[in-house]
Amino acid sequence: MTTDQKNNSLSGMILFLFIATNAVILEHALTVNDQWYWALIFTLPLFSIAAFYHKRMGNPASKNL
C-alpha cells in the first residue's frame, strides 16, 4: 500500500520552526513574564530572513513538473 507523500522543503520547515518559536515567546511574554519580549529581538530578524529566503526559493517540488 502506498501513501501520498508530499515534498517538504527545508526552508519551509525552518520557517515553521520560527513561527512556532515566536508564538511560544509571545504567549509566554503575555501570560507569565514581560521580560521574554527581549527574545523577539533575536527571533524576528531570523524569521524575516527565513521568510525572504523561502519566498525567493519558491516551491522546489513544482519546478520539476
Side-chain angles (χ1 to χ4, degrees):
M1 177 180 280
T2 61
T3 59
D4 200 18
Q5 295 179 354
K6 294 182 182 178
N7 292 333
N8 292 326
S9 65
L10 181 62
S11 63
M13 289 184 264
I14 292 172
L15 189 62
F16 176 75
L17 177 69
F18 281 122
I19 291 171
T21 303
N22 286 333
V24 169
I25 290 171
L26 281 172
E27 187 270 332
H28 190 73
L30 284 170
T31 59
V32 179
N33 188 357
D34 291 344
Q35 297 298 320
W36 275 90
Y37 284 116
W38 287 102
L40 293 175
I41 290 175
F42 301 109
T43 59
L44 284 177
L46 292 173
F47 169 70
S48 301
I49 292 168
F52 175 75
Y53 181 76
H54 181 72
K55 184 175 180 179
R56 181 106 167 151
M57 291 300 293
N59 188 1
S62 66
K63 290 181 180 178
N64 294 330
L65 292 178

